[in-house]
Amino acid sequence: MFSLFRKYPGQRSRLCLRFGLIMLLVVAVGCNKPTTPPISGDYLFCFWNVENFFDNKINGWHNEPDKEFDRWFANEPAVFEQKVKNLTEVLAALNNGRGPDILALAEVETDSTAAEALRDSLNRAITLGTPPYRHIVMKNPHGGRNIATAILTRLPVVADRTRLIGKRHRILEGHIDVGGRDLAVLATHWASRVSDKNGEGRAKYAEQIYGRFRAMYTANPNVALLICGDFNDNPDDPSVVEHLHAIGDLERVQADGDPPLLYDLFAKQWAEKKNTGFGTHFYHGKAFLFDHLVVSPGMVNGRGGWQCLTETAAIVQHRFVVSRGRNKGHPLAFGTEKEKVPLAERGVSDHLPVTVRLQLR
């Protein structure tokens, strides 16, 4: 070999160059493993009101209860770490250890790093080889409290289409695009029953959301739209049925009537199981189904490219629940600083998560 190189000095240079090019190609192919999701596939969507999820920095809020959580989570780093740990335990276990592909959240502190901390924690906890969470979609609604809705996802997003609906409303619109197929998500958190006793505020939320749907539907009757959130009302309350026009009758939704209707994935179950302890939130021992998944006609007939597998809608049960007494099985809240409960014994949220599977055809 060496004598050959001495006899033909140019041959060595050519062989080395070829060998180098081959090795470069091998490395390039090895590093070019797909990290984006396939054009078609099956994805898990999850919504969860994560209850006062503040970060570990002082943001200087002056109103209660934001001031309390702002100070508590910042002054005691272990509290924030425990909150993130508990959230991660529940979420990372979903979807066979991959976590939800699209995760919508309510009660995330505005102008904070809380969502980023959860994203990073989930990426460490999900099954090895699963595409990581890359995108956080969030805007500050500047409402009465310093909490907002947010979307975390590993799927591609169209960042410049992110917007808020209404003034000072927690209605976040995000767009996910896989293979040129758009999925619009409205992550919402309606007025509470404490501040809005007669329901006018929740009716206004519903009307704002329905108005946005009508605009999308007029432009494209097959629009793929998923509305999720803590509505602070049940599926049979006026704000949902009369103002949002969301019902549990799949045939009527698919009929494309005028006005067009939305499909509430839990409405039928609620009608059958109301007053049996079925719900996502509990108060004084009574069950409420405040956490909704609602989809457009294009999502149930699949004409919009995205299809909602309506029969897979579920309320997630996890280990952070009351273990005994008349409230056994109810979600165990993380609680407040005033409650002298050891961190290891605290829950995660006073709401249960809800999920559904989506298919991209």
Side-chain angles (χ1 to χ4, degrees):
M1 176 70 74
F2 292 103
S3 62
L4 179 64
F5 284 154
R6 282 194 295 270
K7 189 174 180 180
Y8 303 101
Q11 182 75 6
R12 181 174 185 174
S13 298
R14 286 192 293 273
L15 286 173
C16 289
L17 178 61
R18 289 175 184 173
F19 180 76
L21 289 173
I22 290 170
M23 291 304 297
L24 183 62
L25 179 61
V26 169
V27 171
V29 170
C31 293
N32 195 30
K33 294 179 181 178
T35 57
T36 56
I39 291 178
S40 62
D42 189 327
Y43 303 109
L44 184 70
F45 184 95
C46 176
F47 168 77
W48 197 3
N49 180 330
V50 288
E51 188 204 9
N52 295 312
F53 183 30
F54 283 67
D55 68 8
N56 56 356
K57 299 177 178 63
I58 292 289
N59 288 306
W61 310 128
H62 301 291
N63 58 320
E64 295 292 354
D66 294 353
K67 181 179 179 180
E68 172 192 350
F69 287 101
D70 186 31
R71 183 189 64 249
W72 183 35
F73 277 44
N75 291 343
E76 299 186 40
V79 173
F80 175 70
E81 291 171 8
Q82 189 70 45
K83 178 77 174 186
V84 173
K85 178 183 176 183
N86 292 358
L87 288 169
T88 300
E89 179 181 330
V90 175
L91 292 167
L94 300 177
N95 205 14
N96 296 319
R98 299 190 297 271
D101 298 293
I102 309 169
L103 171 62
L105 304 170
E107 293 201 14
V108 180
E109 183 184 15
T110 58
D111 304 322
S112 76
T113 58
E116 295 175 8
L118 179 59
R119 176 200 60 194
D120 296 343
S121 179
L122 284 170
N123 283 339
R124 291 190 294 268
I126 55 179
T127 303
L128 188 65
T130 301
Y133 293 94
R134 298 183 182 278
H135 308 288
I136 298 174
V137 179
M138 190 174 181
K139 278 186 176 292
N140 188 347
H142 300 285
R145 288 195 59 196
N146 297 290
I147 53 175
T149 54
I151 301 169
L152 276 68
T153 183
R154 56 173 57 99
L155 306 182
V157 302
V158 186
D160 60 3
R161 297 188 67 186
T162 302
R163 58 179 292 189
L164 291 169
I165 308 300
K167 294 181 179 179
R168 298 170 65 86
H169 283 83
R170 293 185 293 267
I171 307 173
L172 174 71
E173 179 180 326
H175 287 263
I176 293 165
D177 188 301
V178 181
R181 298 169 189 175
D182 179 68
L183 171 66
V185 177
L186 297 186
T188 73
H189 186 188
W190 300 13
S192 77
R193 292 191 170 194
V194 175
S195 61
D196 181 35
K197 297 185 186 300
N198 59 15
E200 289 182 4
R202 291 187 295 283
K204 189 170 183 179
Y205 263 88
E207 289 166 2
Q208 292 274 0
I209 294 167
Y210 187 71
R212 180 61 182 138
F213 159 65
R214 284 298 299 265
M216 291 180 176
Y217 183 86
T218 300
N220 174 18
N222 297 323
V223 62
L225 170 65
L226 193 156
I227 303 160
C228 63
D230 175 1
F231 292 2
N232 277 302
D233 265 340
N234 295 309
D236 56 357
D237 283 320
S239 65
V240 180
V241 179
E242 298 172 15
H243 297 275
L244 185 61
H245 302 275
I247 62 173
D249 188 332
L250 197 54
E251 290 185 4
R252 287 181 60 198
V253 171
Q254 291 176 313
D256 294 329
D258 187 17
L261 301 172
L262 293 160
Y263 185 61
D264 189 329
L265 273 63
F266 291 112
K268 188 175 180 181
Q269 293 184 64
W270 176 252
E272 296 170 350
K273 300 179 181 180
K274 186 177 179 179
N275 300 322
T276 65
F278 177 74
T280 59
H281 180 67
F282 300 81
Y283 185 70
H284 288 177
K286 185 176 180 181
F288 298 88
L289 209 157
F290 285 172
D291 303 275
H292 295 247
L293 298 171
V294 174
V295 294
S296 61
M299 289 284 283
V300 293
N301 58 33
R303 293 198 299 258
W306 289 87
Q307 182 155 19
C308 176
L309 304 183
T310 58
E311 70 281 0
T312 66
I315 298 172
V316 177
Q317 303 294 329
H318 52 72
R319 77 172 183 89
F320 296 102
V321 296
V322 178
S323 59
R324 56 184 179 273
R326 72 187 185 109
N327 294 330
K328 183 178 180 180
H330 295 185
L332 184 61
F334 190 79
T336 67
E337 185 179 16
K338 297 183 181 68
E339 299 166 21
K340 302 306 177 183
V341 179
L343 282 180
E345 297 177 16
R346 288 184 179 268
V348 59
S349 172
D350 57 352
H351 287 250
L352 290 171
V354 290
T355 60
V356 69
R357 300 210 76 88
L358 308 178
Q359 230 172 41
L360 186 61
R361 295 179 178 273

